[in-house]
Amino acid sequence: MMAAKVLQDLIRFPRARTSADAHLSRNGVGSYTDAMYLILLHTQWMDFPRHMIAGMTASAFRLVVDRRLTAESISAYNWMAENFVAADFLGVTTGQHGGFSFEPTFPLYQKQSVLDIKASIDRGIGAILWHDQFVIAAGYDDEEQVLFIGESEGHEAIRLPYDSFGRNSTPYWYYQVLESHESVDLWEVCKESLIQAVYKWETHDYMLPSQDYACGSAAYTVMAATLQSGTYDTEQAATVLRYYARSRLDIASYVAGLEYLSARMVHVMREYALLAELYSEIVDVVNDSISWNTKEPDCVQRIIKLIGKAGATEQRAIDAIKRVFPETIGNRFKDVGLR
């Protein structure tokens, strides 16, 4: 068994943090898509641009907010179910586990998780894990008893002690190892991703309490109401808005390449392009830091107005998708998400 191994192209060490910094809470913007994309490039299983991965997995279409617009919104979903399906869409076979660190059996799971992650690294494949955001475990050192993890933004190395795995600012622990890859039918995957977009827009995630979270179309109503009430932290709300601006740009870039699916796709493409532009305007307003941070009424009202337009535009995009695949969606009745 190796004592240490590092997948050099997934991580770098210019300002490596020490073990004492292992519990530093990061900004929570590293998404599952970011981590998966980097690993796919590393393994050379796929060479699509990032927005294609975001679209093909249907992850970009997710829209969830909590009722205080906290940064937790962007990672609030059923990781076990959706990350499994996301990998499956790409033809990737995975193994994954997760749970709560307060459970009495956690120390046993922790030890097995570290073994599984190290075994994946030995195979030359980084593992995806949750460490206050989705990160990549790209190396380990048994002498130091640490995993080397890289943040999606910049891949900066962080030393995570084995006995700190799963101990986050929230009680959730999770990891996924990628085992193998098979080619997929791109036409079918892209078609299905758009059908899943309809499902995500119209369906509340049953794992999330509806009194605390809003999903899909309902998220726009909650965003506007929360901004109107003023009961939000400006920095966290800005993180949420910037994240969804990026995801809507991903969608616009993704569907722009899917005209071949149907002659009717032009309508889908147009609405998502408009949606990306609206979110760009929202970010421009948020970036006016003085007005945003002081909750200046004109600034807030402008964003609320843009959010209303964005909600209507995304609804038109979803309606356009329904017109592209009416038979498939119709045949699924109320189980649109059932593949």
Side-chain angles (χ1 to χ4, degrees):
M1 191 73 175
M2 297 182 186
K5 183 168 183 176
V6 175
L7 306 176
Q8 294 288 352
D9 61 335
L10 280 176
I11 205 163
R12 59 184 173 83
F13 292 86
R15 293 186 294 118
R17 299 174 190 167
T18 65
S19 302
D21 298 319
H23 294 289
L24 285 176
S25 179
R26 282 162 291 288
N27 56 17
V29 297
S31 69
Y32 174 81
T33 298
D34 294 327
M36 172 63 84
Y37 169 65
L38 291 174
I39 292 177
L40 290 172
L41 290 183
H42 170 76
T43 57
Q44 298 182 338
W45 287 348
M46 284 186 170
D47 60 358
F48 292 123
R50 184 194 168 282
H51 67 259
M52 281 292 290
I53 302 302
M56 289 169 66
T57 59
S59 300
F61 295 100
R62 184 186 307 110
L63 182 64
V64 177
V65 296
D66 67 27
R67 295 182 184 274
R68 293 178 297 115
L69 293 187
T70 69
E72 182 193 358
S73 300
I74 60 185
S75 59
Y77 66 93
N78 185 344
W79 298 344
M80 296 295 286
E82 293 202 33
N83 291 350
F84 171 83
V85 171
D88 187 52
F89 273 27
L90 301 174
V92 177
T93 301
T94 62
Q96 61 178 6
H97 295 282
F100 299 97
S101 57
F102 56 71
E103 293 177 336
T105 52
F106 171 67
L108 297 176
Y109 282 111
Q110 184 187 57
K111 289 180 181 178
Q112 187 59 51
S113 300
V114 171
L115 289 175
D116 290 346
I117 290 168
K118 287 167 56 181
S120 180
I121 294 168
D122 287 341
R123 295 195 305 270
I125 305 174
I128 299 172
L129 60 89
W130 178 257
H131 189 56
D132 290 331
Q133 63 176 316
F134 286 104
V135 296
I136 300 172
Y140 66 88
D141 189 318
D142 282 339
E143 290 188 5
E144 292 189 33
Q145 292 283 290
V146 296
L147 294 170
F148 297 117
I149 62 176
E151 295 175 323
S152 58
E153 298 293 334
H155 330 307
E156 183 176 318
I158 301 168
R159 287 171 167 80
L160 178 67
Y162 293 165
D163 61 5
S164 291
F165 168 84
R167 301 189 187 279
N168 303 297
S169 61
T170 53
Y172 313 117
W173 65 270
Y174 171 88
Y175 74 96
Q176 184 185 66
V177 294
L178 283 56
E179 297 170 351
S180 61
H181 176 255
E182 294 184 2
S183 61
V184 295
D185 185 325
L186 190 60
W187 194 96
E188 288 292 341
V189 169
C190 292
K191 171 187 174 182
E192 185 59 41
S193 71
L194 294 176
I195 294 172
Q196 293 298 315
V198 175
Y199 177 76
K200 291 181 185 298
W201 178 254
E202 297 181 343
T203 309
H204 184 85
D205 187 330
Y206 70 90
M207 293 287 287
L208 302 175
S210 58
Q211 67 269 24
D212 298 322
Y213 295 91
C215 304
S217 61
Y220 282 103
T221 302
V222 167
M223 282 193 280
T226 302
L227 291 173
Q228 188 68 57
S229 70
T231 57
Y232 62 92
D233 176 86
T234 55
E235 183 177 349
Q236 294 205 46
T239 296
V240 173
L241 292 171
R242 290 187 181 112
Y243 178 86
Y244 286 122
R246 184 190 187 194
S247 72
R248 271 52 203 163
L249 178 59
D250 282 340
I251 295 172
S253 300
Y254 174 59
V255 300
L258 302 185
E259 189 172 7
Y260 68 92
L261 291 178
S262 165
R264 294 181 176 179
M265 276 299 297
V266 64
H267 304 293
V268 178
M269 295 159 57
R270 181 185 65 217
E271 298 301 341
Y272 277 122
L274 290 172
L275 182 62
E277 291 176 7
L278 286 168
Y279 268 97
S280 179
E281 289 186 50
I282 289 172
V283 170
D284 285 343
V285 178
V286 168
N287 287 344
D288 182 359
S289 57
I290 296 177
S291 298
W292 171 254
N293 290 336
T294 58
K295 300 183 180 179
E296 200 276 320
D298 287 346
C299 171
V300 176
Q301 291 305 315
R302 185 179 175 194
I303 291 182
I304 290 173
K305 184 176 180 180
L306 287 168
I307 284 173
K309 289 183 178 180
T313 303
E314 192 154 358
Q315 180 65 66
R316 291 196 302 271
I318 295 298
D319 292 341
I321 291 174
K322 287 182 173 182
R323 290 192 292 272
V324 176
F325 307 113
E327 184 175 0
T328 305
I329 293 176
N331 286 344
R332 295 188 186 181
F333 301 99
K334 293 183 179 181
D335 293 318
V336 176
L338 183 63
R339 294 182 290 146

